[in-house]
């Protein structure tokens, strides 16, 4: 079970005291953790391992069982902090794993499981509490306020309206007999602290992605160490990218060594990236001060490709990226397009849809679900086959009010016609509504004629002009442009294209979690733990990367994570008016050769 480990991995696997394993990207940390767990089980020990995601827990458990055999399942418990805390609180729950561990547990919580609030319900409670307190926060801001107050016991220190908001939220939960996910950790920690709940009955406790632990989780770990569990904490301070979720990062690694005198072992051999990629990423992240010094080595050696380029605008950048995607598909290589925010992925997704290229968007709203794309589809629908809903949507976009929409529906039903003067005299329609309807009806007649003649490109251009005329801001105008490119004819009518896209959108929802797509679109945060043959990082501009709202060192770590997802080829691009990200210069990545990209811009 220890066969195939390198010397550093073997040292980590055989360490029987508290140890901090600093694992660089692609260094085989999961392999090392599984080998260690299997080795300890072979010695008769009881072992628990904690991860941050269910998928990571399933992978680690599967690898461990494959090495140790199923005969040790009763002495092995693997899960997330939340799932393991639930088992600690209710140790009589049925589970095929860890029965020898749970049978030794004592819990004050009885036999009735906690009722955990569902995410949809939780959001509803948050909205109600915000309304009660009379404050305006978006869902993410409100959720962070709740989490911070609970984690740090700061409710009494908050200003009045915020204190009212949190108290109301807790009252709604309590009234409905529910708790949220953070309460699972807090209730477990409180019971551990007062002695009514016994710590996990294990000799060894393994923690994956240790840099992501927050204060509450660190206290849980410390209480287990005080109870005699020997810790193996595996993580990388250079990959700590969740400070906004209160992750401790470098600080929790320092604490482990200081508080528990843990040995430090470095897994510095990267088995993923070629030397050019790892070297550039490592050079950049060395600018951070709050970090553990490391010497990183690429096991593959040299042979990779890295470059950066700047483009005049976002459209040109996305078109160049599309060429990179097509090259990867031709070479049968996997490729990820990464960005700092989901919005930056819309343009490239629109191009992929327009070209009918396969892809997977890992998080965020698909461009196919954007209001402007749906509206463009409704406009096409009014030409092919008028429906009241489609007409309602396009007139709403033009700013026609509800009262006027109802009267237009009564006047014209499912048809679109200009109407005579006397038609409008019998109504209370506003002059603006009459003008909007008349303009739309005239354009609609022209679009219908073009559609019948098969002049689809001219028709779509006219529709784009009308939608752009009524767009509320530049972001919306840009999305109309994307929508127009998506519906552009490719040997079929726009109506047929619309039906195909709607089918694709339904299928995308059912396949979203499926792996195997050669092209992935995702944010840098979502790329953590993944790897691809090629990576293209979009939007490397100042104020975007680093974000003007983020910590400079955490933003640099986020770029480090994004860069080290690439095995063979890494491209970083910038566009628009903002200066190129300082991270590009810090990494020493060379600029693409002159003439490689026709749309190259200065700077």
């Amino acid at each position: 079970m220890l066969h195939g480990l390198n010397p550093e991995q073997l040292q980590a696997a055989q360490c029987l005291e508290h140890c901090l394993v600093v694992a660089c990207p692609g260094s085989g940390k999961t392999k090392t953790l599984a080998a260690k767990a299997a080795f300890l089980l072979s010695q008769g020990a009881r072992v628990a391992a904690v991860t941050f995601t269910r998928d990571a827990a399933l992978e680690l458990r599967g690898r461990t069982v494959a090495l140790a055999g199923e005969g040790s399942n009763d002495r092995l418990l693997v899960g997330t902090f939340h799932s393991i805390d639930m088992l600690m609180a209710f140790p009589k729950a049925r589970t095929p794993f860890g029965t020898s561990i749970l049978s030794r547990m004592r819990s004050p919580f009885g036999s009735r499981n906690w009722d955990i609030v569902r995410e949809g319900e939780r959001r509803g409670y948050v909205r109600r509490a915000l309304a009660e307190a009379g404050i305006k926060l978006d869902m993410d801001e409100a959720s962070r306020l709740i989490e911070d107050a609970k984690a740090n016991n700061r409710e009494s220190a908050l200003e009045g309206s915020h204190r009212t908001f949190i108290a109301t939220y807790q009252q709604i939960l309590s009234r409905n007999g529910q708790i949220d996910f953070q309460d699972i950790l807090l209730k477990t920690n409180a019971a551990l602290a007062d002695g009514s709940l016994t710590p996990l009955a294990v000799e060894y406790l393994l923690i994956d992605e240790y840099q992501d632990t927050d204060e509450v989780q660190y206290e849980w770990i410390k209480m287990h160490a005080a109870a005699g569990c020997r810790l193996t904490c595996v993580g990388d301070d250079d990959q700590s990218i969740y400070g906004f979720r209160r992750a401790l990062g470098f600080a929790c690694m320092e604490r482990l060594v200081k508080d528990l005198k843990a040995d430090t072992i470095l897994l510095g051999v990267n088995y993923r990236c070629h030397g050019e990629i790892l070297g550039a990423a490592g050079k950049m992240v060395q600018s951070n001060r709050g970090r553990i010094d490391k010497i990183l080595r690429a096991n593959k050696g040299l042979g990779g490709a890295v470059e950066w380029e700047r483009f005049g605008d976002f459209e040109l950048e996305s078109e160049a990226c599309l060429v990179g995607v097509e090259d990867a598909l031709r070479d049968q290589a996997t490729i990820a397009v990464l960005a700092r925010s989901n919005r930056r992925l819309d343009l490239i997704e629109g191009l992929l849809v327009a070209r009918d290229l396969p892809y997977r968007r890992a998080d965020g709203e698909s461009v196919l679900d954007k209001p402007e794309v749906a509206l463009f589809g409704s406009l096409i629908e009014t030409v092919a086959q008028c429906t009241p809903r489609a007409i309602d949507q396009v007139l709403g976009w033009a700013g026609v009010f509800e009262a006027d929409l109802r009267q237009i529906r009564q006047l014209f039903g499912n048809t679109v016609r200009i109407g005579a003067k006397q038609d409008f005299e019998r109504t209370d329609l506003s002059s603006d509504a009459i003008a909007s309807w008349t303009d739309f009806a005239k354009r609609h007649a022209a679009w219908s004629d073009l559609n019948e003649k098969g002049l689809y490109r001219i028709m779509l251009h006219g529709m784009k002009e009308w939608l752009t005329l009524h767009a509320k801001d530049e972001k919306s105008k840009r999305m109309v442009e994307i929508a127009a490119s998506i519906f552009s004819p490719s040997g079929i009518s726009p109506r047929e294209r619309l039906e195909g896209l709607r089918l694709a959108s339904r299928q995308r929802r059912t396949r979203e979690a499926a792996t195997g797509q050669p092209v992935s679109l995702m944010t840098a945060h979502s790329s953590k733990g993944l790897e691809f043959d090629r990576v293209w990082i979009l939007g490397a501009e100042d104020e975007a990367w680093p974000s003007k709202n983020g910590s400079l060192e955490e933003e640099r770590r986020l770029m480090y994570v994004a860069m080290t997802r690439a095995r063979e080829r890494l491209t970083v691009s910038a566009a628009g008016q903002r200066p190129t990200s300082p991270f590009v210069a810090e990494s020493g990545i060379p600029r693409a050769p002159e003439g490689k990209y026709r749309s190259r811009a200065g700077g």
Side-chain angles (χ1 to χ4, degrees):
M1 57 191 63
L2 300 181
H3 177 72
L5 299 182
N6 69 30
E8 293 82 12
Q9 292 170 338
L10 184 62
Q11 182 186 0
Q14 292 181 321
C15 180
L16 301 181
E17 302 302 326
H18 295 315
C19 68
L20 171 65
V21 181
V22 183
C24 81
S27 61
K29 70 177 179 65
T30 306
K31 174 183 177 180
T32 304
L33 273 173
K36 178 159 191 169
F39 170 69
L40 295 171
L41 290 169
S42 74
Q43 304 301 304
R46 293 184 298 275
V47 181
V50 184
T51 69
F52 276 82
T53 68
R54 182 174 179 272
D55 287 346
L58 290 173
E59 181 183 2
L60 179 56
R61 189 175 72 188
R63 289 199 190 190
T64 302
V65 171
L67 292 171
E70 296 183 359
S72 303
N73 286 0
D74 64 319
R75 291 181 285 112
L76 173 67
L77 200 59
V78 184
T80 63
F81 275 101
H82 294 93
S83 67
I84 284 186
D85 274 10
M86 287 292 289
L87 289 172
M88 291 173 65
F90 305 99
K92 293 183 180 179
R94 291 184 179 180
T95 172
F97 288 88
T99 52
S100 176
I101 299 169
L102 298 174
S103 64
R104 291 171 164 81
M105 298 289 299
R106 184 184 72 250
S107 169
F109 297 114
S111 58
R112 185 180 177 183
N113 278 8
W114 291 320
D115 185 0
I116 312 301
V117 65
R118 294 184 178 89
E119 180 59 15
E121 290 176 321
R122 186 192 71 82
R123 286 172 172 262
Y125 295 168
V126 170
R127 280 191 286 268
R128 287 163 57 186
L130 287 170
E132 181 76 16
I135 56 178
K136 292 184 178 180
L137 294 173
D138 66 31
M139 187 57 62
D140 288 341
E141 291 171 332
S143 298
R144 279 196 293 271
L145 183 62
I146 293 170
E147 291 168 3
D148 286 343
K150 286 186 176 185
N152 301 307
N153 198 23
R154 292 180 55 246
E155 292 179 47
S156 59
L158 295 173
E159 61 179 77
S161 59
H162 285 180
R163 190 163 59 247
T164 300
F165 159 63
I166 291 171
T168 303
Y169 170 75
Q170 274 311 120
Q171 288 165 9
I172 297 172
L173 282 174
S174 178
R175 188 167 61 248
N176 289 285
Q178 295 173 304
I179 65 172
D180 62 20
F181 272 95
Q182 194 172 17
D183 289 329
I184 296 173
L185 305 183
L186 294 171
K187 283 178 173 290
T188 305
N189 274 17
L192 283 170
D194 67 22
S196 59
L197 176 66
T198 53
L200 285 169
V202 296
E203 289 88 9
Y204 295 94
L205 178 60
L206 317 181
I207 310 294
D208 190 19
E209 300 289 1
Y210 176 65
Q211 76 280 349
D212 293 336
T213 55
D214 62 19
E215 198 68 54
V216 174
Q217 291 157 343
Y218 182 73
E219 286 303 312
W220 184 93
I221 293 168
K222 267 187 67 177
M223 284 189 278
H224 277 86
C229 294
R230 278 160 283 183
L231 306 177
T232 298
C233 298
V234 181
D236 183 4
D237 52 309
D238 286 336
Q239 296 185 75
S240 176
I241 57 175
Y242 295 111
F244 62 93
R245 294 181 186 167
R246 304 176 312 283
L248 294 171
F250 175 60
C252 70
M253 296 184 142
E254 278 192 313
R255 281 199 214 173
L256 190 72
V257 174
K258 180 181 177 182
D259 295 350
L260 301 177
K261 305 298 186 286
D263 294 333
T264 300
I265 301 168
L266 172 64
L267 304 186
V269 179
N270 176 294
Y271 294 93
R272 176 189 303 153
C273 311
H274 278 289
E276 294 86 348
I277 298 167
L278 186 65
K283 180 179 179 181
M284 177 199 64
V285 82
Q286 285 175 9
S287 298
N288 279 353
R289 294 184 177 181
R291 64 184 295 270
I292 297 170
D293 287 334
K294 308 172 186 72
I295 298 175
L296 306 180
R297 305 190 307 280
N299 187 64
K300 291 181 178 178
L302 299 178
V306 294
E307 66 178 19
W308 76 274
E309 189 52 279
R310 181 167 190 90
F311 301 91
D313 57 43
F314 300 157
E315 288 78 10
L316 293 173
E317 179 190 37
S318 294
E319 288 169 5
C321 180
L322 178 65
V323 174
V325 169
E326 290 174 327
D327 288 345
L329 290 171
R330 184 195 63 231
D331 297 340
Q332 297 185 323
T334 58
I335 183 170
V337 181
L338 309 181
R340 179 64 181 80
S341 66
N342 260 302
R343 187 183 302 174
R344 196 59 175 267
L345 297 169
D346 290 340
L347 273 170
I348 183 63
E349 186 184 7
L351 292 175
L352 291 170
V353 172
R355 297 285 186 91
D356 288 321
L357 295 175
Y359 74 94
R360 171 178 174 262
R361 186 151 182 180
D363 46 15
E365 184 183 58
S366 167
V367 71
L368 296 176
D369 298 325
K370 298 289 184 182
E372 294 83 359
V373 177
L375 192 74
F376 214 122
S378 295
L379 201 52
I380 291 170
E381 198 170 14
T382 66
V383 170
Q385 180 185 359
C386 268
T387 63
R389 184 172 62 182
I391 294 172
D392 210 63
Q393 289 172 339
V394 297
L395 290 180
W397 176 263
V400 179
F401 292 113
E402 287 300 311
D404 291 326
L405 282 171
R406 286 194 295 270
Q407 293 189 68
I408 289 172
R409 174 81 64 84
Q410 290 172 355
L411 266 180
F412 301 109
N414 293 354
T415 63
V416 179
R417 54 187 178 85
I418 296 172
K421 183 178 180 182
Q422 55 267 32
D423 290 329
F424 300 112
E425 288 175 348
R426 301 193 302 269
T427 71
D428 296 325
L429 283 168
S430 66
S431 57
D432 286 345
I434 294 171
S436 293
W437 171 258
T438 303
D439 175 63
F440 171 69
K442 287 179 180 178
R443 291 174 185 260
H444 189 272
W447 298 334
S448 298
D449 183 56
L450 292 167
N451 186 57
E452 288 180 8
K453 294 176 179 177
L455 300 174
Y456 303 134
R457 193 173 296 279
I458 301 174
M459 180 191 79
L460 291 172
H461 180 74
M463 290 179 170
K464 182 184 75 172
E465 281 188 336
W466 185 81
L467 288 170
T468 302
L469 179 67
H470 296 287
K472 302 298 186 290
D473 52 40
E474 289 302 316
K475 176 188 170 185
S476 195
K477 289 178 182 178
R478 193 159 54 245
M479 190 54 62
V480 168
E481 290 277 353
I482 294 174
S485 70
I486 287 174
F487 288 109
S488 292
S490 55
I492 58 175
S493 71
R495 172 68 178 183
E496 291 171 314
R497 178 69 169 157
L498 174 62
E499 291 304 317
L501 289 173
R502 285 177 174 171
L503 176 62
S505 182
R506 290 193 295 270
Q507 291 174 337
R508 182 187 63 81
R509 292 188 183 95
T510 62
R511 295 198 311 259
E512 192 62 33
T515 58
Q517 286 286 15
V519 183
S520 297
L521 311 182
M522 63 184 69
T523 62
H525 279 101
S526 296
S527 73
K528 180 79 166 58
L530 302 176
E531 57 185 77
F532 309 89
D533 297 328
R534 302 175 189 181
V535 168
W536 188 304
I537 299 174
L538 294 172
E541 302 102 29
D542 199 14
E543 293 189 16
W545 219 328
S547 167
K548 60 183 178 181
N549 300 318
S551 151
L552 176 62
E553 294 210 349
E554 179 148 325
E555 290 291 307
R556 189 178 281 117
R557 291 193 293 268
L558 183 59
M559 177 63 84
Y560 176 76
V561 166
M563 293 171 70
T564 53
R565 300 311 94 192
R567 299 187 190 106
E568 301 167 0
R569 185 177 300 177
L570 171 67
T571 304
V572 181
S573 63
Q577 301 301 313
R578 290 175 180 160
T580 303
S581 167
F583 300 156
V584 173
E586 290 174 2
S587 70
I589 293 177
R591 192 165 186 177
E594 187 80 38
K596 179 174 181 178
Y597 299 101
R598 290 178 298 172
S599 48
R600 177 178 179 138

